[in-house]
Amino acid sequence: MGGHQSRIEETNIDESDGRMAPGTKCVAANTPTTGTREVTLHRLEHLNNRKYDIKMGDEMICMTRQATLDIETFDLFGPDGKTKLVLCHKAVAEKIWHIASYVTPAFEGQKVDKEMYDIELKTDNKKPFYKSYELVWNHSRKVGELCPVFKDDSGLGKAGDPIYEIQKIKGIKERYQICHVGEDASLVAHWHWKGQNIELIVAKGSDLALYSVIAVICGIMKETEGFPYFGLFTN
């Protein structure tokens, strides 16, 4: 079964901190959470693992939808369902999920990546995007490393060292947690499935939009791990 020891029971999430500076412009142009937040990702269709309405109570805060006919690509939209905020993509043969922002450059002067995600560019040439993060998943260790993009000589950005680990928790119940990298390794978010929906809890100082798309990514991996081409039927 594998997985990692849960830190949920030993952690008071209200005292945890994602350590993003207040006022930082996050991946979806949101700002870091100022306290603990609980959201539900409502899956809308049984055979579509990329279509969620994301709500805090009854308030719609964002949503995810498939971006193309590609197996593992989706967009995060604002609550209006029209404003594209984040693009997530992984080619079938890769282990790296690419997370790009339509609205927030990762650093000042970052160039738009015109060669990345050819399919997406063909469907929406007027909507540029910027490399933001890479999520490198290790299936054997049940862990992913989230690496932010930093400025490089090309101006497009290059992924640096990981700042968070996304860990699948040991046990029969499907649960995940996000922890800081390093000796501290403190918990900053966790989620589980309730039926087909995802219940997500994040600490203050966190990027709620980013953690929401990571939860969707883990849901896709959960369904495709045993059958790699299941995504073909999740359009």
Side-chain angles (χ1 to χ4, degrees):
M1 187 178 295
H4 296 256
Q5 189 66 37
S6 171
R7 293 181 176 271
I8 299 171
E9 294 76 18
E10 66 185 39
T11 302
N12 181 347
I13 196 70
D14 293 330
E15 296 178 358
S16 296
D17 193 342
R19 301 177 190 160
M20 295 188 74
T24 300
K25 199 171 183 182
C26 297
V27 70
N30 52 310
T31 54
T33 52
T34 56
T36 305
R37 298 289 183 267
E38 298 185 24
V39 299
T40 301
L41 286 71
H42 298 270
R43 183 164 172 167
L44 301 185
E45 297 176 9
H46 178 67
L47 290 179
N48 191 329
N49 57 18
R50 294 171 286 173
K51 191 173 184 179
Y52 289 87
D53 283 350
I54 303 172
K55 297 182 178 181
M56 189 178 301
D58 294 328
E59 179 188 1
M60 178 82 75
I61 58 173
C62 51
M63 60 186 70
T64 60
R65 299 291 187 266
Q66 71 180 70
T68 66
L69 293 178
D70 188 37
I71 292 174
E72 293 169 310
T73 302
F74 64 93
D75 283 313
L76 179 78
F77 288 83
D80 62 0
K82 298 177 181 178
T83 307
K84 286 185 176 184
L85 301 173
V86 180
L87 170 68
C88 299
H89 169 78
K90 183 182 78 66
V92 174
E94 289 188 346
K95 296 181 180 179
I96 299 175
W97 283 86
H98 303 279
I99 300 172
S101 176
Y102 289 108
V103 290
T104 309
F107 51 86
E108 186 175 354
Q110 184 179 18
K111 295 178 182 178
V112 171
D113 193 339
K114 296 180 179 179
E115 296 182 2
M116 200 174 179
Y117 317 137
D118 289 338
I119 295 176
E120 177 66 14
L121 286 174
K122 289 176 184 177
T123 61
D124 192 350
N125 280 307
K126 296 181 180 179
K127 194 70 174 175
F129 44 82
Y130 308 90
K131 293 180 181 178
S132 301
Y133 293 91
E134 288 186 358
L135 174 57
V136 184
W137 190 260
N138 186 315
H139 283 282
S140 62
R141 293 182 54 230
K142 310 293 184 184
V143 65
E145 294 182 330
L146 186 67
C147 306
V149 166
F150 293 96
K151 189 173 184 178
D152 65 350
D153 292 339
S154 73
L156 296 172
K158 182 178 180 180
D161 294 331
I163 56 172
Y164 297 117
E165 276 196 357
I166 296 85
Q167 302 171 348
K168 183 177 181 181
I169 298 172
K170 290 180 182 179
I172 298 174
K173 191 174 182 180
E174 195 84 15
R175 299 187 298 166
Y176 288 80
Q177 60 191 11
I178 299 180
C179 300
H180 287 289
V181 170
E183 293 183 8
D184 176 9
S186 56
L187 179 76
V188 296
H190 61 88
W191 63 91
H192 65 275
W193 276 260
K194 187 174 182 180
Q196 288 200 318
N197 298 335
I198 300 172
E199 302 287 342
L200 169 65
I201 301 176
V202 307
K204 65 183 178 183
S206 299
D207 185 343
L208 180 56
L210 176 62
Y211 292 177
S212 295
V213 299
I214 290 174
V216 173
I217 287 171
C218 289
I220 293 171
M221 291 192 296
K222 179 170 74 78
E223 294 186 356
T224 59
E225 190 172 21
F227 182 24
Y229 300 104
F230 181 80
L232 287 169
F233 306 102
T234 60
N235 293 327

